[in-house]
Amino acid sequence: MRAGAAELLPWLRLTLTPGIGGETQRKLLRAFGPPDAIFNAGRSALGAVAGNQAASLLLDQDNSAVLEQALAWAAQPAQHLVSLADAEYPQSLLQTPDPPTLLYVLGRLELLNSPALAIVGSRNPTPQGLGNAERFAAALADAGLTIASGLALGIDAGAHRGALARSGSTVAFVGTGIDRVYPANNRELAREISRRGAIVSEFALGTPPLAANFPRRNRLIAGFSRGTLVIEATVDSGSLITARIASEQGREVFAIPGSIHSPQSRGCHRLIKQGAKLVETVADVLEELRWSTTTGGSPTDPAAPDASLDAATDAGRILQSLGFDPFSLDEMVTRSGLTADRAAVVLLELELQGQIASMPGGRYQRLPPPSGST
């Protein structure tokens, strides 16, 4: 049931008072109970719990304009404010050390307590990495899991798109106010997620994309999910922060390995060395989670070989000889035994068929088969 303005106002007043962070908010809630009791406690009682400065901030500041803006936002359809006291609040986040006091949610509230898996990774993935994100997300969504990610470019966006291509069950945690879309290139994707999935923020309306907010966003992705799957990441990727937090909270961490020559694989390889489960198929994830599919059958394995390739054809012979590492036209000619002219023709055919993709530096990479290939 949607909370009324009178119920929401004390929660907003507590969380929108500048200088009163999450730790102080939780301390006050433990001491006094609901926010209306906090504001009725009196200056001396507040000072005894949170300090005199915090008491003055809470009682003396007039932020009525900001409060009215938030209430107006929450009055719109499919726009919700969810507090720690609400039944809709994600129970998985209550098990974390610093759950947000208030969440801004745009979309389907029921997804906040659905079983979820996080998929995160590079903002600059290889074509193969992006394909893996979409295909793994689609297959895991088929299995009945909600896909959580951060609405960033690259792997995050691919994971959201993969889930939307199936059940639509995806939750995007953002590092800005929920009324802003960052990056702007994902505006259409954000609109589709808000329509079929959910977007979640702990930040006040209008909050810009500040660098310090994204690690905080990452802790929500990790805490919300039963496990985190990393698909391509450099050693300094923010995705490793998400994986570390997931591990610290006792959640599963998964990583897909890649070429030893690719910087985008080194973060995943580091995670595997540290104990993350090496993932080759969707079954690897589902078995570790002890998860049974809800669709009555096994989801399509995104990493399965494409049996439609005929090894007797030039295209099939080329793909089988090259594997999945990036390659150049010269390498293609050397390994396949084709002439340069014939290899160039086959290369174009494969690219048009979506079986390979061009990369910077005149190189190409084989893509996994589309979901549903047998």
Side-chain angles (χ1 to χ4, degrees):
M1 180 181 296
R2 181 184 288 266
E7 299 171 82
L8 290 173
L9 190 58
W11 289 98
L12 285 167
R13 188 178 172 191
L14 175 64
T15 56
L16 293 178
T17 298
I20 304 297
E23 184 177 353
T24 300
Q25 293 167 22
R26 291 188 295 274
K27 185 184 296 185
L28 290 165
L29 289 167
R30 286 193 295 268
F32 299 106
D36 52 353
I38 293 174
F39 291 104
N40 289 329
R43 190 178 300 271
S44 60
L46 292 178
V49 172
N52 292 332
Q53 182 179 4
S56 296
L57 290 172
L58 287 165
L59 298 177
D60 298 340
Q61 292 195 53
D62 179 11
N63 56 354
S64 54
V66 176
L67 300 179
E68 290 300 324
Q69 181 189 20
L71 288 173
W73 180 88
Q76 300 303 308
Q79 298 181 181
H80 314 275
L81 292 173
V82 180
S83 76
L84 283 167
D86 290 328
E88 294 86 359
Y89 192 92
Q91 297 303 296
S92 55
L93 290 183
L94 291 178
Q95 301 168 19
T96 63
D98 56 348
T101 304
L102 192 69
L103 294 173
Y104 297 74
V105 182
L106 178 58
R108 296 167 56 193
L109 270 184
E110 71 271 16
L111 293 182
L112 298 188
N113 282 292
S114 61
L117 181 87
I119 297 181
V120 297
S122 173
R123 286 173 169 78
N124 299 289
T126 66
Q128 183 176 332
L130 186 59
N132 281 338
E134 294 184 5
R135 291 172 174 84
F136 269 82
L140 290 162
D142 273 348
L145 290 166
T146 292
I147 303 302
S149 200
L151 197 61
L153 296 175
I155 296 299
D156 286 23
H160 291 307
R161 284 195 296 267
L164 289 169
R166 298 302 176 91
S167 65
S169 295
T170 187
V171 176
F173 290 88
V174 298
T176 66
I178 204 164
D179 55 337
R180 303 188 65 161
V181 176
Y182 178 82
N185 287 351
N186 279 345
R187 189 171 302 279
E188 288 302 319
L189 176 60
R191 183 176 292 113
E192 184 67 6
I193 294 172
S194 67
R195 189 176 69 85
R196 300 181 55 211
I199 300 177
V200 180
S201 175
E202 66 175 311
F203 300 105
L205 297 176
T207 301
L210 303 174
N213 289 348
F214 290 93
R216 293 186 57 77
R217 179 273 314 268
N218 291 350
R219 91 188 192 288
L220 297 186
I221 296 173
F224 175 73
S225 307
R226 298 187 176 197
T228 294
L229 171 62
V230 182
I231 303 178
E232 292 195 339
T234 60
V235 292
D236 58 354
S237 170
S239 303
L240 301 193
I241 297 175
T242 308
R244 175 180 56 78
I245 295 171
S247 178
E248 290 172 351
Q249 294 178 353
R251 313 297 167 90
E252 301 293 345
V253 178
F254 307 91
I256 295 179
S259 169
I260 61 172
H261 305 293
S262 172
Q264 300 287 24
S265 299
R266 289 175 187 157
C268 291
H269 292 171
R270 175 179 289 183
L271 289 174
I272 292 167
K273 289 177 182 178
Q274 293 172 345
K277 183 174 179 64
L278 186 153
V279 169
E280 296 176 317
T281 69
V282 167
D284 294 332
V285 176
L286 299 178
E287 288 170 6
E288 194 73 13
L289 294 177
R290 297 179 175 83
W291 182 259
S292 298
T293 65
T294 59
T295 56
S298 298
T300 301
D301 185 349
D306 188 355
S308 66
L309 286 176
D310 183 351
T313 66
D314 288 342
R317 188 161 61 250
I318 284 172
L319 292 180
Q320 288 193 2
S321 67
L322 289 170
F324 285 92
D325 279 351
F327 60 89
S328 67
L329 178 60
D330 287 344
E331 290 170 328
M332 184 177 177
V333 169
T334 300
R335 296 185 193 181
S336 67
L338 298 176
T339 65
D341 288 345
R342 177 57 184 157
V345 170
V346 175
L347 190 67
L348 178 60
E349 292 174 351
L350 291 171
E351 192 167 8
L352 291 173
Q353 292 169 9
Q355 303 218 47
I356 64 170
S358 58
M359 301 178 66
R363 297 178 72 78
Y364 300 85
Q365 186 171 44
R366 182 178 175 183
L367 297 174
S371 297
S373 296
T374 58

